[in-house]
Amino acid sequence: MSDKPLKIVTLLGSLRQGSYNAMIARALPQLAPEGMTIDALPSIRDIPLYDADLQQEEGFPATVDTLAARIREADGVIIVTPEYNYSLPGGLKNAIDWLSRVPNQPLAGKPVAIQTSSMGAIGGARCQYHLRQILVFLDAMVLNKPEFMGGAIQNKVDEQAGKVIEQGTLEHLAKQLAAFSDFIRRVSEG
Ligand code: FNR
C-alpha cells in the first residue's frame, strides 16, 4: 500500500457559533493517522440559494469555486454535519447542489467519509442515509464502515473549551480516520 501523504478536507454542515459538529471537525487533525493531514474547507454560510438563472447570469459564487477547487485537489472529504428534521441541513444540501453543477464535478470518484452528531440518541443516523443517497448521484466513493454517529453529543463535550472530551468518541473518530486512510489508498490503487 502506498504511503503517499493524504490531504483531507472537512465540509461542515452547521453554521452555529457553538456547533458541536464544529467541535468534532476541530478534533480531527489530532486524531488523524500518520501521513494524513486534515484542513477545514471555507464555511458554506455565504453561498446563495441555488438558482439556475443566477448560475447562467453570474456564474458560480466564489465560495463554490473555492470549495470545488479545494475538493478537487484533496485526496478525500469528510462531511461533518448535524441532522435537521431527519435529514441534512438545507445549507449543506444547497452547497452540494451548487457543487453538483460545477464542470468536472469535484465529488465524482472522490473518497468521502460522513460524520454526523446531534443531540438526539442516534446521532443523526437518518441524515447519514440521506447524505449517502445524494452522494450516489454525485458518484462519490463513500466509506461504508465504521460509521460515526455522535449521539447525545452535548454530553460529550466541554462547552466552555469548545472541545470534544469523551474518550470513546475520540477513539471512534480515530478508528474511522484510520479506516478512511486505508480506504483512500485502496480506491486510489484501483
Ligand atoms: C435539530 N436537531 C435534530 N436532532 C436530531 O437528532 N434529529 C433531528 O431531526 C433534528 N432536527 C433538527 C432540526 C433543526 C432545524 C434544528 C435547529 C435542530 C437538533 C440538533 O441535533 C442540534 O441542534 C445540534 O446541536 C445541531 O448541531 P450543531 O449546530 O451543534 O453542530
Side-chain angles (χ1 to χ4, degrees):
M1 214 179 262
S2 126
D3 54 3
K4 162 185 164 309
L6 298 178
K7 280 171 40 182
I8 305 301
V9 288
T10 53
L11 180 60
L12 181 62
S14 175
L15 306 181
R16 199 169 71 85
Q17 177 96 39
S19 163
Y20 298 124
N21 285 278
M23 294 181 201
I24 296 278
R26 284 198 298 271
L28 299 180
Q30 291 80 46
L31 301 172
E34 211 181 315
M36 175 186 276
T37 55
I38 303 180
D39 291 298
L41 286 171
S43 168
I44 59 174
R45 172 183 295 281
D46 296 324
I47 301 176
L49 287 180
Y50 181 80
D51 174 352
D53 293 337
L54 182 67
Q55 182 193 330
Q56 201 169 12
E57 286 155 23
E58 296 180 24
F60 289 92
T63 316
V64 173
D65 278 336
T66 304
L67 285 176
R70 295 273 312 274
I71 290 172
R72 230 175 256 126
E73 67 196 22
D75 298 296
V77 179
I78 305 175
I79 300 178
V80 187
T81 185
E83 175 175 276
Y84 280 1
N85 299 310
Y86 289 8
S87 186
L88 59 158
L92 177 60
K93 177 63 163 56
N94 183 56
I96 294 173
D97 288 342
W98 274 107
L99 287 168
S100 74
R101 308 311 288 176
V102 175
N104 182 20
Q105 193 266 98
L107 285 158
K110 187 65 64 179
V112 175
I114 298 172
Q115 297 174 353
T116 56
S117 292
S118 80
M119 293 169 70
I122 57 174
R126 290 158 288 219
C127 166
Q128 293 234 351
Y129 291 105
H130 279 191
L131 201 42
R132 281 178 187 273
Q133 181 179 333
I134 292 162
L135 291 166
V136 170
F137 183 72
L138 284 132
D139 207 17
M141 307 287 288
V142 183
L143 175 74
N144 284 329
K145 285 184 174 180
E147 297 174 310
F148 178 83
M149 297 163 186
I153 193 70
Q154 69 279 13
N155 300 330
K156 298 170 179 170
V157 303
D158 176 338
E159 296 266 2
Q160 296 299 322
K163 283 171 71 169
V164 182
I165 53 168
E166 206 254 336
Q167 207 51 36
T169 301
L170 295 168
E171 282 166 16
H172 192 150
L173 288 167
K175 266 192 202 140
Q176 195 205 44
L177 294 177
F180 194 38
S181 169
D182 292 347
F183 176 71
I184 295 170
R185 295 188 195 286
R186 278 202 312 274
V187 166
S188 66
E189 282 164 20

